[in-house]
């Protein structure tokens, strides 16, 4: 096992702790849309101003500055709206800090790789764990200049991190840059402006337990009536008492509607968000709430009824069912998805593929799904893979974080546990030990199918290798017998079968005698010399 890294132990992934459902606001009048646009633009301007103040405070932010910001916003909105805006601002600033830290780590990894390769002689071959030297002087020169550029970027990013400076764009940096490429994006300036303003609106409110229907700012009654508490400067637009505006639209959550109704009936906190889809011209209301953390089942219980091992790929999920002993059952299953196109299309494809995977796992009767604990943060850098541009695009396009979160959430609703395993060597060892033995004229086994078996066996606690190696060729039987089964807790898988006698191997027999006399040979060559052979006269035909 020299040169192989130590594998981390498998574990059951914690269940989801939050729920979000969405429904469309249909049949809105012109006045309703005008009020929603006015409220969103007003509160969006407040959120932008508050974010500017928060970014200016940097690391000097504290409870006093937070309270001061909230008091300033309360004058132009309300206490609850100000609290929602300041909390959203804090979350956005914290997210920017985490992204900044990840960017610094990525730059540091690239700098280490470049320094290592530049220190090697030209043309030196690399290893599986480290790249070799560059192939020409020209490439070495270009990479040395890139090293200097990365070092400058890293120094600037570290200086920003230490000073607490972050760069945040309300509405998104990508949409902002689209303004300079309207032709390529297929947008006009007016369409882009409409989308930009809609993304910068703020129409959200946090829930409050104990308040009527769980939210005072955006209130939804059990019969689907939606009303909004207007900010002070827009109070003249109210059509009901206490400065509220009631929409003509009614909502009815088709998914988790009963759970949502139980919460608002008991006046438990529910957060709401209203947003406009500018491409379709539709308004949507999203409700979200927290749930008690689902207690994960013990790993032993998850393994009791077998496992479904899933190998995650760029265009499909390769799944294989295994019994609790680690034996493959049936044939491979593949659930395809198309991760090209828009983000909504990719998200829908992932949900569709995961739905089919989970439904199949429920039908076969397993209690858990084994999946790799993938994280390509350190493996998709340009410096590590060099010219393998297609491979970098492949692993960069796999939404591992979103996939894991969706799988855990969707599987929990069907009573399935998710067991995360170390992804090391699953494809290599799966193809080595399982791809060829399971291939038949009617069953085609791919490398990904074999990796699914390796993942499932690792989730069950079994080694990937099915049997121990045969004895070496210098023994008398010349590796002719079948190999022994590899037990889950037996790390010495290279040993031979237990001896068929009652003495340890290599120990001489007691009193120098064999325990059992050799049986008589029935071959002519080994027959005793005292035996007289008589030819049958009937076989002699003269």
């Amino acid at each position: 096992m020299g040169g192989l890294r130590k594998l981390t132990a498998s574990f059951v992934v914690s269940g989801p702790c939050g729920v979000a459902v969405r429904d469309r606001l249909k049949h809105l009048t012109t006045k309703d849309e005008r009020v929603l646009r006015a409220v969103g633009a007003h509160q969006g301007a407040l959120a932008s101003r508050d974010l500017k103040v928060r970014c200016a405070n940097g690391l000097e932010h504290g409870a006093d500055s937070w309270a001061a910001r909230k008091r300033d916003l309360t004058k132009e909105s309300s206490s609850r709206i100000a609290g929602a805006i300041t909390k959203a601002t804090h979350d956005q600033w914290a997210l920017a800090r985490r992204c900044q830290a990840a960017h610094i780590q990525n730059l540091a990894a690239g700098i280490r790789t470049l320094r290592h390769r530049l220190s090697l002689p030209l043309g030196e071959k690399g290893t599986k764990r480290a790249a070799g030297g560059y192939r020409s002087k020209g490439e070495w020169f270009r990479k040395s200049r890139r090293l200097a550029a990365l070092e400058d970027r890293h120094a600037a990013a570290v200086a920003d991190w230490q000073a607490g400076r972050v760069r945040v764009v309300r509405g998104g940096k990508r949409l902002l840059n689209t303004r300079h490429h309207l032709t390529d994006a297929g947008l006009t300036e007016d369409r882009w402006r409409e989308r930009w303003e809609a993304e910068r609106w703020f129409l959200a409110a946090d829930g409050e337990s104990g308040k009527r229907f769980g939210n005072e700012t955006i209130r939804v009654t059990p019969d689907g009536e939606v009303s909004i508490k207007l900010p002070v400067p827009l109070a003249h637009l109210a059509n009901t008492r206490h400065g509220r505006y009631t929409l003509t639209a009614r909502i009815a959550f088709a998914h988790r509607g009963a759970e949502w109704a139980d919460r608002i009936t008991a006046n438990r906190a529910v957060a709401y968000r209203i947003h406009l889809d500018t491409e379709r011209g539709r308004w949507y209301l999203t409700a979200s709430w927290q749930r008690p953390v689902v207690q994960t089942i013990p790993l032993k219980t998850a393994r009791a009824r077998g496992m479904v091992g899933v190998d995650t790929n760029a265009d499909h999920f390769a799944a294989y069912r295994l019994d609790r002993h680690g034996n493959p059952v049936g044939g491979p299953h593949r659930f395809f998805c198309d991760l090209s196109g828009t983000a909504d299309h990719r998200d829908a494809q992932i949900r569709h593929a995961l739905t089919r995977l989970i439904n199949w796992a429920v039908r076969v009767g397993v209690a858990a799904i084994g999946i790799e604990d993938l994280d390509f943060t350190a493996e998709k850098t340009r410096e590590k893979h060099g010219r393998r541009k297609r491979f970098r695009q492949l692993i960069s396009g796999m939404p591992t974080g979103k996939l894991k979160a969706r799988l855990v959430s969707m599987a929990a609703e069907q009573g399935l546990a998710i067991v995360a395993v170390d992804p090391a060597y699953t494809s290599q060892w799966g193809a080595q030990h399982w791809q060829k033995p399971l291939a038949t004229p009617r069953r085609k086994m791919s490398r990904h199918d074999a990796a699914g078996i390796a993942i499932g066996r690792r989730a069950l606690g079994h080694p990937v290798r099915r049997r121990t190696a045969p004895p070496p060729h210098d023994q008398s039987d010349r590796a002719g017998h079948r190999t022994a089964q590899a037990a889950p807790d037996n790390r010495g898988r290279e040993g031979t079968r237990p001896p068929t006698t009652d003495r340890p191997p290599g120990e001489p027999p007691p009193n120098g005698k064999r325990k059992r006399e050799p049986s008589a040979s029935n071959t002519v060559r080994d027959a005793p010399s005292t035996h007289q052979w008589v030819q049958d006269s009937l076989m002699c035909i003269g």
Side-chain angles (χ1 to χ4, degrees), residues 132-150:
Y134 293 108
R135 294 186 289 184
S136 63
K137 291 183 178 180
E139 186 178 10
W140 190 97
F141 174 72
R142 290 190 296 270
K143 292 300 182 180
S144 64
R145 298 191 63 180
R146 177 165 176 78
L147 174 61
L150 291 186

Side-chain angles (χ1 to χ4, degrees), residues 328-342:
V329 179
H333 287 72
R334 302 177 184 93
F335 304 93
F336 292 91
C337 57
D338 181 14
L339 298 184
S340 62
T342 63

